[in-house]
Amino acid sequence: MMPSAMNVYFSAVLSVWICQLDAVPLFSSMGELPEISGDEVQEVNVPVPLTEPERWHRMAKQLQNDVKTLRDEQFIRDFGETVNMSLFENERINTPVFKASDGCFLKNFSTERCLGHIYNILMWYKENLNYIERENLTPTLMNNVKHEMKRLLESINSQLQSKDLQVEDISSSLHAKSAWTQKAVTHSILFNLTNVMIHTCRAIPYLSKSKAGHSQRTKNKIKTDWISDKN
C-alpha cells in the first residue's frame, strides 16, 4: 500500500475510534450510580408540639432547679457548708405554701382550685423576689428565676381567664430587724419556694385531665408520683 493511501486508511480508523469514545456515557468512568426508589426515601421525624401542661411542667421544673440552687448557695454562704439545713426549721418564717384545702394534694385533687392556688402563691413570691435580689446571689440564676416565674405565671393566667376562675390575693409583709433575721427570711423564702415548686411540678401534669372518666386513674397516677418523688 502506498504511503498516501496508508495515511488515508489510518485517519479513517482514528476517526471511527474517536466517535466510539464520544458515544460512551460520561458517568461510566465514574462507576455505576445508585438507583433510588421512592420506597427507600427516609421519613423525616417532625417533633410533636408540647401540650400546654407539658410546656408548663418544663418551665416549672427549670424554675424549681434554679430556686433550689439559689437556696443552697445562700445557705452555705450565710450559715456554713457543714450546717444541716433541717436545724433551721424553727428559725424559718411563714411564707405561702400549699395547704390540703388548695386541691393540689392526692386526697382532694381539684384542677380548678389547684390552678388558682398555684397562681396565687407564685404571684406572692414574684412580688417578693426583690428581697432575694438584695442578697447579691449569682446574677445569672437570679435573672433566670425572674424570667421563668414571669413566663409560668403568664401561661397560667391565660388559662385562668379562659376558665373564668377567681383569684384571691395573698398579702404578707417581710421585715428584717437584724442581719440574722435578714438571713433567716431569705432562707425561708428560698426554702419554701423550692417546696412550692416541687408540689407544682407534681400537680401540673394532671391539671388538664377532666374528672369524667379519668378521676380514679388520675388519682392513682398522682399517688404513684407523690410516693416516688417525696424529695
Side-chain angles (χ1 to χ4, degrees):
M1 185 179 292
M2 299 299 291
S4 60
M6 291 180 64
N7 291 338
V8 172
Y9 172 77
F10 284 119
S11 296
V13 171
L14 181 62
S15 299
V16 172
W17 182 68
I18 292 175
C19 291
Q20 289 177 342
L21 287 179
D22 290 341
V24 177
L26 179 61
F27 57 80
S28 64
S29 62
M30 301 167 57
E32 295 183 358
L33 293 178
E35 295 183 0
I36 301 177
S37 65
D39 296 336
E40 295 175 350
V41 177
Q42 295 183 351
E43 296 182 359
V44 178
N45 293 326
V46 179
V48 178
L50 296 176
T51 64
E52 192 74 358
E54 288 172 341
R55 194 165 61 88
W56 292 359
H57 189 268
R58 178 173 294 184
M59 289 188 287
K61 193 65 178 178
Q62 185 60 53
L63 178 56
Q64 174 193 328
N65 293 337
D66 288 342
V67 171
K68 182 179 182 296
T69 302
L70 285 176
R71 180 200 70 181
D72 295 344
E73 177 187 340
Q74 184 263 340
F75 188 85
I76 292 173
R77 185 196 68 181
D78 290 346
F79 303 111
E81 189 172 359
T82 60
V83 179
N84 193 319
M85 199 175 291
S86 62
L87 297 176
F88 281 74
E89 183 175 357
N90 295 329
E91 301 293 336
R92 297 186 192 113
I93 67 169
N94 293 325
T95 63
V97 293
F98 289 111
K99 304 184 298 293
S101 59
D102 293 343
C104 291
F105 294 133
L106 173 63
K107 292 183 179 180
N108 59 346
F109 189 85
S110 166
T111 296
E112 290 76 14
R113 280 186 291 145
C114 184
L115 190 64
H117 283 290
I118 289 175
Y119 184 83
N120 291 342
I121 292 173
L122 290 183
M123 273 299 298
W124 185 91
Y125 284 100
K126 177 180 179 294
E127 292 169 356
N128 288 280
L129 282 179
N130 61 330
Y131 199 96
I132 307 300
E133 286 186 275
R134 297 200 296 264
E135 290 299 304
N136 296 319
L137 299 172
T138 303
T140 303
L141 274 177
M142 193 68 237
N143 289 333
N144 287 347
V145 166
K146 291 168 60 178
H147 176 67
E148 291 155 4
M149 187 172 290
K150 179 176 181 291
R151 288 179 58 212
L152 183 57
L153 281 167
E154 288 174 349
S155 297
I156 295 176
N157 187 47
S158 65
Q159 187 71 9
L160 286 170
Q161 291 177 350
S162 66
K163 288 179 174 290
D164 195 25
L165 299 177
Q166 297 297 319
V167 176
E168 299 178 0
D169 293 329
I170 298 177
S171 59
S172 180
S173 57
L174 300 174
H175 298 288
K177 298 180 180 179
S178 66
W180 171 262
T181 307
Q182 170 82 14
K183 295 176 181 179
V185 170
T186 302
H187 168 65
S188 300
I189 294 174
L190 291 172
F191 183 89
N192 290 336
L193 178 55
T194 300
N195 288 338
V196 164
M197 293 313 305
I198 289 174
H199 288 296
T200 298
C201 287
R202 289 170 178 166
I204 281 177
Y206 312 102
L207 292 176
S208 65
K209 295 180 180 293
S210 62
K211 295 181 180 180
H214 295 284
S215 59
Q216 189 58 47
R217 184 171 59 187
T218 299
K219 289 181 179 180
N220 291 339
K221 185 68 170 64
I222 294 173
K223 183 176 182 179
T224 302
D225 288 355
W226 249 259
I227 293 174
S228 62
D229 187 23
K230 290 184 178 180
N231 298 318

